Amino acid sequence: MVLAALACPIAARAEDPAPASLSTVYLGSTANVEASDQNDGATGQTPVATFDRARDLLANDGTIVLLSPLRPQGEVTYSLEGKGSAKVVPYRHEGGFAGSLLFISGDADVTLEHIIVDGGGASDTMDSTVNMEGGSLTLGDGAVLQNRSCNKGAFGIAIEAMNGSQITMLDGSAIRGNHGEDHKVAYGTVFIANGCVFDMKGGVIEDNSASRGGAVAVVSSTMNMSGGTIQNNAVHRESSQGAAYGGAIYVSNYEEYTIAVGSQQPIECGDSKFVMTGGTI
């Protein structure tokens, strides 16, 4: 009798059910909603808390909707390999999140692979798709930053990197289809300033537009190009009377511009360098 009693719960035990495959998964907290990996991720009211959980729930060719930016710490890889043309987009609604999708700072070492990060078209802010204050970013095979349009000006439409940030771009990656609004200041689709280094070893930067550096703006920093392709980028005037600089790459050791009285100048004066040993422009 004792043996039979012990056997019953064992026989009744079942495996945990496999996670459902969702065409849209919501990720991140808001002012009114707390994310949790215990949620189903199926609505903006029941978002999950981690990228890994969102990926597990996501169907092939699906979409992860960010309710708040990703803020990685340490060494992190974001990948949607095996998910077809799946992508990450910002949550969009009136008064809703339209800022950066990824913040990198401190010692964060981030790799993007086999993932499309879509900026969501027109943005109501000056925020870039990726914002860096230190740390490093590697765009690996299949990493795409696309479709960001800043309508209030921007420092870097796809990537804004400041203060010693490191960027590496490898074969199979792409930065494409990002635009600054005509007649507004937009420093580069990729903007690096204050001692940053951008190593372009492969990939393509194409079909972007800005006012200074249709592809890249290098200010008090260094860009090394040893591979890859920069093509079909353009610049627009900063005003109806203003100028436009560098259809592909803009290099400056200092850019002085008007800021609020008492504010600290965010861009430092310093040497800038562009070194090209390979690749195509």
Side-chain angles (χ1 to χ4, degrees):
M1 296 296 293
V2 173
L3 291 175
L6 289 173
C8 286
I10 295 174
R13 184 180 298 161
E15 296 294 329
D16 291 334
S21 292
L22 301 174
S23 60
T24 303
V25 179
Y26 292 84
L27 169 60
S29 298
T30 70
N32 301 316
V33 177
E34 183 69 24
S36 170
D37 280 355
Q38 301 304 310
N39 291 338
D40 61 17
T43 72
Q45 299 303 309
T46 57
V48 296
T50 65
F51 182 86
D52 287 349
R53 182 57 175 159
R55 181 189 59 218
D56 290 345
L57 293 171
L58 189 67
N60 285 355
D61 305 323
T63 300
I64 294 176
V65 179
L66 288 182
L67 302 179
S68 56
L70 297 170
R71 296 180 181 270
Q73 296 181 341
E75 187 173 343
V76 178
T77 296
Y78 294 114
S79 173
L80 292 176
E81 188 171 9
K83 296 290 185 178
S85 59
K87 61 184 178 181
V88 178
V89 303
Y91 183 53
R92 302 303 299 267
H93 69 88
E94 186 177 354
F97 166 61
S100 296
L101 278 70
L102 175 61
F103 277 99
I104 300 173
S105 62
D107 65 350
D109 180 3
V110 179
T111 299
L112 301 180
E113 294 178 339
H114 306 289
I115 185 170
I116 299 171
V117 182
D118 189 294
S123 167
D124 293 332
T125 74
M126 294 175 64
D127 295 322
S128 310
T129 300
V130 179
N131 188 292
M132 301 181 68
E133 283 283 347
S136 64
L137 171 66
T138 299
L139 300 179
D141 187 24
V144 178
L145 301 179
Q146 68 177 26
N147 190 32
R148 184 72 160 184
S149 179
C150 293
N151 61 19
K152 293 184 178 179
F155 291 95
I157 301 162
I159 301 176
E160 177 187 344
M162 302 278 284
N163 303 330
S165 303
Q166 308 283 316
I167 303 170
T168 303
M169 193 169 181
L170 303 178
D171 287 340
S173 61
I175 300 174
R176 64 191 184 203
N178 303 280
H179 301 285
E181 186 181 13
D182 197 15
H183 301 322
K184 297 291 180 66
V185 176
Y187 283 74
T189 298
V190 177
F191 173 81
I192 58 175
N194 300 353
C196 295
V197 177
F198 176 20
D199 290 322
M200 186 173 181
K201 300 179 179 181
V204 59
I205 304 177
E206 63 182 355
D207 299 324
N208 305 285
S209 67
S211 64
R212 302 190 182 196
V216 185
V218 181
V219 182
S220 304
S221 295
T222 298
M223 178 177 176
N224 302 305
M225 186 175 182
S226 58
T229 301
I230 297 175
Q231 64 184 9
N232 299 331
N233 301 282
V235 286
H236 58 255
R237 292 183 181 276
E238 293 179 357
S239 69
S240 59
Q241 303 294 322
Y245 307 92
I249 298 173
Y250 170 76
V251 183
S252 174
N253 65 346
Y254 181 70
E255 180 58 37
E256 184 177 0
Y257 58 94
T258 302
I259 56 176
V261 175
S263 297
Q264 183 178 359
Q265 170 63 268
I267 297 179
E268 301 171 357
C269 179
D271 292 338
S272 289
K273 185 164 57 176
F274 172 67
V275 180
M276 184 175 181
T277 58
T280 302
I281 300 177

